[in-house]
Amino acid sequence: MASDISTEHRIVEVAGRKTQVTIGGDGPPLLYLHSAGGETEWTLPHEKLAESHRVYVPACPGFALSEGLDEIEDMQDLVWHYVDLLDVLELERVPVVGFSLGGWLALELSVLRPERIERMALTAAAGLYLSEAPMGEIFIDDLDELRELVYYDPQDVTVKLSMPTSLEDSRILNWIRAREATARIGWNPYLHNPRLKGHLHRIACPTLLIWGRHDRLIPLAHGEYYAEKIAGARLEVLEECGHMVPFEKADAWAGLVREFVTAS
Amino acid sequence: MQFFCFHLMPWDRIDESTLDAHKTVWTWLPNSHYDAVHGHELYNRYLDELVLAEELGFDGVCVNEHHQSAYGTMPSPNLMGSILARQTQRVKIAVIGNALPLYNPPTRVAEEFAMIDVISGGRLIAGMVVGGGPEYYSFSANPTFARSMYNEALDLILRAWTEPGPFEHYGRHWKLKYVNPWPLPLQKPHPPIWIPGAGSVETVKLVAERGFSYMGIPYFHVDVLQKNFDMFRDACAKAGNPATPERIGLLLPIYVADSDEQAWQEYERHLFYFAEKLLKGLAVFPPGYTSARSIARINQALKKFLMEVKSRDEVEEGFYAVVGSPATVRDRLVELRGRLGFGNLLGLFQLGTLPADLTEKNMRTFAAEVMPPLRKTFATKADAAAPAAPA
């Protein structure tokens, strides 16, 4: 997208796996963990955060040009991949921004390597099972239905930035691969780790939770649960907003995140 | 040529409004629409139809596995196979197949198939399938492991049948310290293996290289099938295993009546009920179920799929089903045989709502007037051993 911010694509080796990392902006480092939608190319949310930070956007194995999905069997394997990646990127201690799948990943990372995470801003994070607030079905083929699931307004102008709109879309092959990589870790148990609940009391870093009031994929109740169980966590709810918060409410979202990560 | 009678054992009564209210008859169609009292009649009727196939001179009967679906109400084809093992004396019993990744551990398949083979006196044809896309939703089974689980299970089952146990299996998906199934199959080294495919390159290569038999998944335009079978023959040639007609099977809806007009008049609404309603939701490819390249290939082929077909002319042009008088059906099958080179014809004589009387009439007419001349034209060694159809 057109901007003054210069970005670069890097392919780094992480324990033998080729991993794509997109980097942009100047300032203190910030690690952005993408969602199942695979916003791994430079786009709106990264652009907003790069106004104040140097933003690192790695692509999970199986997403974009990142390889090595065959060695990832579950979230545990993915978290260790990111532990190695932090070393490769020489990010000793870094604020983390995680969206959806990336929010779940950030939570797992903060349990496994608390010393590496300065603070974390989680948006519509997966990772939980709540019987009273079931998640929507993301593994459907119908792109129109999917858009209705994740957007408050399916006609939102940012839709075309965040997902393909038809099977003829040039991004469709990457999309199919992204869905495969998501299914690998999130098919069953569905987008969560049944053991994560038991670890939440161990999270000590400052945590901000941002949710759309009308998230149909991962209902607000999940945000409320995290806010209650993670010590000192704060929950911000955006009105007239679905699951795609960083796109739907890019300015408000980026404002909250920036204020939070610069507070240290 | 060998003739098989294939049964899907479909649910035959869902009203239009229910069908219109749901995007699919798979996985999510509420089972409040299932009626066990009617199910009792249906299962017994369908089994009778397969038993009749033996009486009419068919070489074999086929059953298959689907879950949570009105398209086929046969989650356990092995139960049907074992009943048929006792209720028939001569026909091959082709179970095509067991969806290997859904059996845990897959030695269960080695055991149950061996039971059917032993009970039936060595009449089992063992079908090994990955399972349809919808099955991965119905079982919450991770589709990104479908291929690797399938490959591991297939190797394990064959090893369990051919290598003396107990032995240890240490694989990616299963770790079994003591593999030692009792019983073992009666046929040695093991029952014939049939593997169906919809044109995925991975499947074609596997079947060709291992010397198994390839069954074309139906409901595609004949051009698509021809491409798939040609790809299979090429792969066999490359592997040095000739693709004899016995290694190729075609599953095909068939309806015969006294005249073309009568056949279409009796069959048309049942065929289109099947095409428009029961196929809804069959062609689903969950993430990772097959390679992105195969998904692209199959997505193209799906433009030429029975579900998209709206008229009799289109059905005839694409050979989606073969319908007509005995002479018409004979001629069209000869033409199909010429294009596709199959040695096993798996006829689907009942589908969807087709009632018992028309199904029986269809089978009897086919067996009396279509099967004998085709047997003569395309005689194989196996045909010499098969009994002539009763007059």
Side-chain angles (χ1 to χ4, degrees), chain B residues 14-324:
Chain B
I14 310 165
D15 58 74
E16 291 283 325
S17 62
T18 303
L19 286 168
D20 292 341
H22 296 279
K23 292 187 72 175
T24 172
V25 304
W26 295 76
T27 312
W28 299 282
L29 183 68
N31 61 4
S32 50
H33 296 287
Y34 185 79
D35 166 7
V37 174
H38 182 56
H40 169 77
E41 285 168 31
L42 270 189
Y43 276 141
N44 286 287
R45 171 196 147 191
Y46 291 157
L47 283 165
D48 287 345
E49 287 168 359
L50 291 175
V51 171
L52 174 68
E54 170 166 273
E55 193 185 302
L56 295 177
F58 281 86
D59 300 288
V61 292
C62 308
V63 289
N64 74 350
E65 172 175 340
H66 287 299
H67 299 267
Q68 302 193 175
S69 168
Y71 167 90
T73 60
M74 199 162 25
S76 173
N78 297 353
L79 289 182
M80 293 309 181
S82 62
I83 291 169
L84 291 162
R86 287 283 297 174
Q87 289 214 292
T88 62
Q89 280 72 49
R90 174 187 56 80
V91 283
K92 295 277 181 201
I93 297 162
V95 180
I96 31 181
N98 281 183
L100 304 187
L102 308 184
Y103 291 77
N104 190 17
T107 40
R108 184 97 197 152
V109 175
E111 292 173 337
E112 292 183 7
F113 272 172
M115 287 176 72
I116 298 173
D117 199 49
V118 171
I119 294 169
S120 68
R123 291 187 280 133
L124 177 77
I125 291 171
M128 311 279 191
V129 304
V130 179
E135 260 78 64
Y136 286 81
Y137 289 90
S138 295
F139 269 64
S140 290
N142 193 323
T144 73
F145 290 122
R147 301 287 153 176
S148 73
M149 289 176 88
Y150 175 79
N151 291 334
E152 181 179 334
L154 179 62
D155 286 342
L156 171 59
I157 292 163
L158 289 170
R159 195 177 160 207
W161 280 345
T162 52
E163 184 179 319
F167 62 79
E168 181 178 16
H169 170 81
Y170 196 86
R172 178 180 186 183
H173 301 288
W174 293 280
K175 284 134 192 103
L176 309 172
K177 281 182 76 180
Y178 312 111
V179 178
N180 189 31
W182 288 65
L184 288 170
L186 195 150
Q187 296 178 83
K188 300 295 175 193
H190 56 73
I193 310 286
W194 284 12
I195 296 179
S200 123
V201 185
E202 296 88 342
T203 304
V204 161
K205 274 192 66 173
L206 173 117
V207 180
E209 286 165 8
R210 306 284 289 267
F212 302 145
S213 297
Y214 186 66
M215 301 299 119
I217 286 186
Y219 320 137
F220 288 105
H221 190 285
V222 62
D223 291 346
V224 175
L225 295 175
Q226 191 167 350
K227 249 184 237 162
N228 293 348
F229 287 147
D230 287 346
M231 183 165 76
F232 176 65
R233 272 183 284 267
D234 288 347
C236 286
K238 256 183 221 148
N241 289 328
T244 55
E246 292 70 34
R247 289 184 64 198
I248 301 175
L250 176 69
L251 172 53
L252 182 72
I254 297 173
Y255 192 80
V256 203
D258 289 346
S259 68
D260 290 354
E261 278 324 301
Q262 191 191 341
W264 275 103
Q265 199 197 353
E266 288 171 354
Y267 192 57
E268 191 159 2
R269 73 189 169 91
H270 301 293
L271 177 64
F272 285 106
Y273 172 91
F274 177 79
E276 288 163 16
K277 311 294 187 187
L278 297 188
L279 290 183
K280 277 207 301 196
L282 163 67
V284 165
F285 302 97
Y289 171 73
T290 184
S291 66
R293 188 163 69 114
S294 290
I295 286 186
R297 203 183 129 82
I298 294 168
N299 272 341
Q300 283 307 108
L302 281 174
K303 291 175 183 166
K304 294 184 157 192
F305 194 64
L306 179 55
M307 206 168 72
E308 309 300 322
V309 168
K310 300 287 172 242
S311 71
R312 171 178 166 179
D313 285 349
E314 286 176 86
V315 171
E316 296 192 322
E317 191 274 328
F319 284 86
Y320 292 99
V322 168
V323 183

Side-chain angles (χ1 to χ4, degrees), chain A residues 239-254:
Chain A
E239 302 297 331
E240 297 189 349
C241 181
H243 180 70
M244 300 299 283
V245 188
F247 290 89
E248 292 178 78
K249 300 286 177 200
D251 286 324
W253 171 82

Side-chain angles (χ1 to χ4, degrees), chain A residues 38-52:
Chain A
E39 67 283 21
T40 54
E41 307 308 310
W42 197 254
T43 185
L44 185 60
H46 318 130
E47 183 78 6
K48 296 285 179 191
L49 298 178
E51 287 170 19
S52 55

Side-chain angles (χ1 to χ4, degrees), chain B residues 2 375 379-388:
Chain B
Q2 299 273 290
R375 262 197 210 289
T380 62
K381 257 185 263 163
D383 287 302

